[in-house]
């Protein structure tokens, strides 16, 4: 009975929901990284309370920590990242006692640095993986979203630190507008309602557009085209997988 092909197919189908659940709750899973990125996005775009800045930073610390776990980062990288995460936690607590404008600027700079490092760690891990499975696909998506988040925080930092309004006649902008502008630029949607008024914002926008397109046509496209559901779960590839 156990060797019956139909029984094996049915057993794999029954196990699929559990595998999917593990992919999103396991501490060494890119699915959990993806969920934390989405939580960061929602919190950043919707919450305006003064303590929200600290909450966002703490969620980002958790995101980077899970990213390092899932990526099996080198010991030296983990040690350096752990030091940065401790500093970030201290800044998150300090933000509770300083002005909102200063807190926004500090949060944007720290968050941007965290999100710049994380995609590089993920991409390195994906390159070293011998199989292209669900975790590989989730990792590629997580890295892509992190790039958009990193640029959004860079725009927020410029908006709070430079003298002139970042969006010109539209003003300095809110962080939800920075997120909107970042992801429409990353995906080259470009609605045109928000435009950086001058450099370095314009240069950053061009860099984000190029980065987003190169990432899509190289890393993400390669991962998705090579993905075969069922690989990487303990069975060798079959002829059917290659067709």
């Amino acid at each position: 009975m156990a060797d019956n092909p139909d029984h094996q197919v049915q057993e794999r189908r029954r196990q699929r929901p559990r595998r999917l659940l593990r992919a999103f709750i396991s501490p060494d899973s890119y699915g959990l990284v993806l969920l934390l990125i989405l939580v960061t996005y929602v919190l950043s775009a919707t919450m305006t309370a003064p303590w929200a800045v600290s909450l966002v930073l703490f969620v980002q610390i958790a995101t980077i920590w899970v990213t390092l776990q899932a990526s099996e980062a080198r010991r030296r990288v983990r040690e350096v990242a752990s030091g940065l995460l401790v500093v970030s936690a201290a800044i998150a607590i300090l933000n509770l006692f300083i002005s909102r404008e200063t807190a926004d600027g500090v949060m944007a700079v720290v968050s941007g640095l965290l999100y710049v490092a994380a995609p590089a760690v993920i991409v390195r891990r994906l390159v070293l993986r011998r199989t292209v499975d669900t975790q590989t696909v989730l990792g590629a998506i997580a890295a892509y979203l992190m790039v958009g988040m990193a640029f959004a925080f860079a725009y927020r930092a410029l908006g709070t630190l430079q003298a002139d309004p970042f969006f010109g006649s539209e003003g300095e902008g809110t962080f939800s507008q920075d997120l909107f502008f970042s992801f429409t630029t990353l995906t080259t949607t470009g609605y045109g309602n928000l435009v950086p008024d001058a450099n370095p914002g314009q240069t950053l926008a061009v860099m984000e557009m190029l980065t987003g397109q190169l990432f899509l046509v190289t890393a993400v496209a390669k991962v998705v085209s090579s993905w075969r559901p069922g690989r990487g779960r303990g069975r060798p590839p079959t002829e059917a997988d290659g067709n």
Side-chain angles (χ1 to χ4, degrees):
M1 181 67 176
D3 296 331
N4 189 316
D6 293 336
H7 174 75
Q8 293 177 356
V9 170
Q10 293 175 2
E11 184 65 23
R12 284 199 295 269
R13 287 177 178 174
R14 284 195 297 267
Q15 293 178 356
R16 189 173 299 168
R18 284 179 287 179
R19 288 197 299 265
L20 184 61
L21 180 62
R22 286 198 300 268
F24 280 93
I25 64 174
S26 174
D28 58 351
S29 165
Y30 286 121
L32 183 56
V33 174
L34 191 57
L35 284 177
L36 288 171
I37 293 172
L38 295 177
V39 170
T40 303
Y41 184 98
V42 171
L43 292 177
S44 301
T46 60
M47 299 188 69
T48 58
W51 50 264
V53 174
S54 296
L55 178 60
V56 169
L57 264 180
F58 278 120
V59 175
Q60 289 167 351
I61 290 171
T63 304
I64 302 305
W65 184 85
V66 175
T67 299
L68 295 175
Q69 291 290 110
S71 302
E72 298 181 7
R74 297 175 181 176
R75 180 178 178 181
R76 180 62 176 172
V77 174
R78 291 199 304 269
E79 290 175 349
V80 173
S82 297
L84 292 176
L85 293 180
V86 170
V87 173
S88 300
I91 292 174
I93 296 174
L94 181 63
N95 278 341
L96 295 172
F97 306 99
I98 59 180
S99 67
R100 179 61 188 271
E101 182 176 352
T102 303
D104 282 349
V106 172
M107 183 272 290
V109 172
V110 174
S111 300
L113 291 176
L114 291 176
Y115 275 114
V116 163
V121 174
I122 293 177
V123 170
R124 175 185 174 276
R125 174 58 179 168
L126 297 184
V127 169
L128 295 177
R129 288 178 70 91
R130 296 185 177 182
T131 59
V132 178
D133 54 12
T134 302
Q135 286 299 314
T136 312
V137 175
L138 292 175
I141 296 173
Y144 183 70
L145 293 179
M146 281 184 170
V147 171
M149 295 292 288
F151 276 98
F153 284 117
Y155 300 141
R156 178 91 302 249
L158 287 176
T160 57
L161 298 178
Q162 70 182 19
D164 298 326
F166 183 76
F167 291 118
S169 61
E170 296 295 328
E172 177 184 314
T174 63
F175 188 54
S176 61
Q177 289 177 317
D178 294 324
L179 287 169
F180 172 81
F181 174 72
S182 178
F183 280 98
T184 55
T185 302
L186 184 70
T187 57
T188 64
T189 305
Y191 291 109
N193 56 332
L194 293 173
V195 179
D197 188 55
N199 276 318
Q202 294 174 344
T203 300
L204 274 179
V206 172
M207 289 176 58
E208 181 176 18
M209 178 183 65
L210 294 175
T211 301
Q213 290 307 292
L214 290 175
F215 196 91
L216 279 179
V217 302
T218 54
V220 175
K222 177 63 177 177
V223 166
V224 173
S225 64
S226 302
W227 182 40
R228 298 293 183 271
R231 284 190 180 182
R233 294 201 296 264
R235 68 174 181 85
T238 64
E239 184 178 351
D241 289 329
N243 296 328

